[in-house]
Amino acid sequence: MARTPIMAGNWKMNLDHLEAAHLVQSLAWNLKDASHDYSQVEVVVVPPFTDIRTVQSLVESDELSIRYGAQDVSIHDEGAYTGEISTGMLNKLGVTYVVVGHSERREYHNESNELVGQKAKKVLDAGMTPIMCCGEALEIRKAGQHVSYVLGQIDAMLANLTAEEVAKSVIAYEPIWAIGTGEVATPEDAQEVCGAIRNRISELFDGPVAEAVRIQYGGSVKSSNVREIMAKPDVDGALVGGASLKADEFTKIATYLK
Ligand code: 13P
């Protein structure tokens, strides 16, 4: 079964709800203008929590095919967890994807692989799809240990997931040294790690699960480098930061096949 490429824009802590409405409308308009076939390349925006209701209203009222996600989620269902957002709350807002374990959450909020795995499980239990992030820091890359490091993250994140759950998940390989730095991994770098992740999933589960799971690359993806990265066999999409904040640029990324 062929995997549908998925282009997701992680807005991080950018854009208020008014700016969000503007960006989603511009993006939808651009994609319509380009006769974008959403069944060929899925397009996802991942705004801050405060924008999600606005994005939902637009998507529903204008019957847009753009999907939307959240940048994080709690492992708790409800209660005294100040500042946290539950999977139930996101579900009610029509959220399809939830990013878990972004390197910025790992670094600034001390999130462990085990916690990220728990978050992924919560997301799946709620009927949504996790985008599970992994990736190495520069020192690890320089020491030549990036593949084993990332596979360690994968083993820990997937430890409590079933084969069916992994098959419908998305994994994002984002080398930390390439995030927001303009320093993009070469297509070969991206393929090396994405291919190793798929191999590991085939060992941990089986071939069909490995064939089904979608693996994104993230880190300084732009319209000028997306094609060569997407040409690699084990790269099924991109998790895009900075370049997803501009409608024209993200449109070019989503329509990279044209
Ligand atoms: P940039 O595309 O800005 O490098 O960010 C990548 C990223 O972290 C997406 O989650």
Side-chain angles (χ1 to χ4, degrees):
M1 199 183 67
R3 297 180 294 271
T4 307
I6 173 171
M7 294 302 178
N10 174 11
W11 297 359
K12 308 193 180 184
M13 198 174 72
N14 293 291
L15 310 184
D16 61 33
H17 72 286
L18 300 173
E19 294 164 326
H22 187 250
L23 177 52
V24 169
Q25 274 172 324
S26 305
L27 186 62
W29 184 256
N30 283 354
L31 289 167
K32 191 175 174 192
D33 231 22
S35 306
H36 183 66
D37 181 353
Y38 289 88
S39 67
Q40 225 179 2
V41 179
E42 208 178 325
V43 183
V44 181
V45 293
V46 187
F49 291 128
T50 51
D51 299 356
I52 294 178
R53 176 67 175 154
T54 302
V55 172
Q56 176 194 29
S57 302
L58 265 177
V59 166
E60 289 183 358
S61 62
D62 294 353
E63 296 180 9
L64 304 179
S65 303
I66 294 172
R67 296 202 166 115
Y68 51 95
Q71 298 176 14
D72 185 33
V73 75
S74 173
I75 54 166
H76 304 290
D77 289 327
E78 61 184 355
Y81 301 102
T82 302
E84 298 226 52
I85 301 287
S86 72
T87 50
M89 293 168 179
L90 297 178
N91 225 348
K92 265 267 158 48
L93 289 168
V95 162
T96 304
Y97 293 99
V98 183
V99 173
V100 294
H102 191 281
S103 58
E104 289 148 16
R105 301 271 342 151
R106 292 170 182 267
E107 184 178 351
Y108 307 134
H109 302 273
N110 289 318
E111 293 197 5
S112 65
N113 289 320
E114 289 65 32
L115 179 71
V116 175
Q118 281 178 287
K119 289 186 175 191
K121 186 84 179 169
K122 281 306 276 189
V123 169
L124 286 155
D125 284 348
M128 300 180 288
T129 302
I131 299 180
M132 286 176 256
C133 301
C134 56
E136 81 287 355
L138 187 58
E139 313 81 74
I140 297 169
R141 161 78 45 173
K142 279 188 174 155
Q145 282 164 358
H146 47 285
V147 173
S148 59
Y149 179 85
V150 170
L151 295 183
Q153 290 180 313
I154 293 291
D155 290 351
M157 285 195 294
L158 304 187
N160 293 311
L161 302 187
T162 66
E164 294 72 37
E165 287 172 334
V166 173
K168 58 187 173 200
S169 294
V170 177
I171 291 173
Y173 167 57
E174 300 202 306
I176 297 168
W177 47 272
I179 294 178
T181 57
E183 179 133 3
V184 63
T186 64
E188 291 69 33
D189 289 338
Q191 169 58 29
E192 180 191 28
V193 181
C194 293
I197 293 171
R198 200 178 305 283
N199 276 339
R200 181 62 132 233
I201 290 174
S202 149
E203 287 162 17
L204 292 172
F205 299 93
D206 58 30
V209 172
E211 280 308 307
V213 66
R214 290 185 292 175
I215 306 176
Q216 297 175 309
Y217 166 78
S220 299
V221 172
K222 306 185 225 18
S223 61
S224 56
N225 57 30
V226 66
R227 269 183 210 88
E228 54 189 26
I229 294 168
M230 288 303 294
K232 293 297 176 186
D234 288 303
V235 180
D236 305 314
L239 187 54
V240 185
S244 72
L245 298 172
K246 296 183 201 97
D248 289 353
E249 179 64 4
F250 195 52
T251 302
K252 284 187 199 153
I253 291 171
T255 56
Y256 73 98
L257 286 173
K258 297 195 184 224

